[in-house]
Amino acid sequence: MEKPLLLILCTGNSCRSQMAEGFLKELADDLLTTQSAGMNPAAKVHPLAVKVMEEIGIDISQTSCKHLNLFLDKKIDTVITVCDHADQSCPSLPSAIKRHHFSFPDPAEATGTEAEKLQIFRKIRDDISKLLLAYRTHLTSKKVQQAS
């Protein structure tokens, strides 16, 4: 059976959505096919996003920033937006698609020294992690209920 496609959507697809994609591939690869995309994707994944994910053993260095249009002809089961702009600007999607919005500040806008920026990236990473761990738990309990 084909796993449902979960698309994580952000404006630039360089930080938050890439970190979330990395987490879900690590946490729920048995349940979902996870991809991320942007409304206006950046040229590359932000190096500090790569760095803070490497700190916890998740490699997102080979991922690429993708445009939402690449997925519009796919059977998307769930869309998770991780920034307010993407939530407000997301095109109309079929009503069968489940949609969730979680607002995280853009770590790419962090200012200060590299250490200060890293601290912000780590906080966003940890906040995304907590949310997606709860989401994974929800998916697992739902799958168990459906099997009974």
Side-chain angles (χ1 to χ4, degrees):
M1 182 176 185
E2 190 174 313
K3 295 184 285 186
L5 173 60
L6 182 141
L7 182 64
I8 302 159
L9 187 59
C10 197
T11 302
N13 190 224
S14 70
C15 299
R16 295 165 285 189
S17 55
Q18 293 287 349
M19 289 190 281
E21 177 183 354
F23 274 121
L24 280 176
K25 283 184 173 179
E26 190 74 21
L27 296 170
D29 196 46
D30 58 328
L31 300 172
L32 304 165
T33 298
T34 305
Q35 291 289 323
S36 66
M39 309 291 289
N40 184 23
K44 63 180 185 166
V45 178
H46 197 290
L48 294 181
V50 172
K51 186 173 185 161
V52 299
M53 293 300 285
E54 281 176 356
E55 291 174 352
I56 59 166
I58 298 175
D59 182 8
I60 62 169
S61 65
Q62 300 303 309
T63 60
S64 62
C65 303
K66 302 166 286 296
H67 197 283
L68 169 64
N69 290 346
L70 292 173
F71 298 95
L72 292 179
D73 65 342
K74 307 276 188 235
K75 185 182 180 302
I76 302 168
D77 181 70
T78 304
V79 171
I80 295 177
T81 51
V82 291
C83 75
D84 293 336
H85 181 261
D87 183 50
Q88 296 163 1
S89 304
C90 188
S92 295
L93 298 167
S95 60
I97 295 176
K98 296 179 225 74
R99 236 178 118 164
H100 307 286
H101 173 64
F102 305 106
S103 182
F104 297 100
D106 187 356
E109 294 179 0
T111 59
T113 65
E114 180 160 335
E116 291 167 331
K117 290 177 185 178
L118 276 168
Q119 195 171 21
I120 291 168
F121 270 82
R122 287 181 186 118
K123 177 168 180 4
I124 300 302
R125 175 202 63 199
D126 295 347
D127 290 348
I128 290 171
S129 171
K130 288 174 194 166
L131 176 85
L132 294 179
L133 280 168
Y135 187 75
R136 166 66 159 108
T137 300
H138 169 75
L139 288 175
T140 303
S141 66
K142 190 174 171 182
K143 187 174 181 179
V144 168
Q145 288 173 353
Q146 290 173 345
S148 343

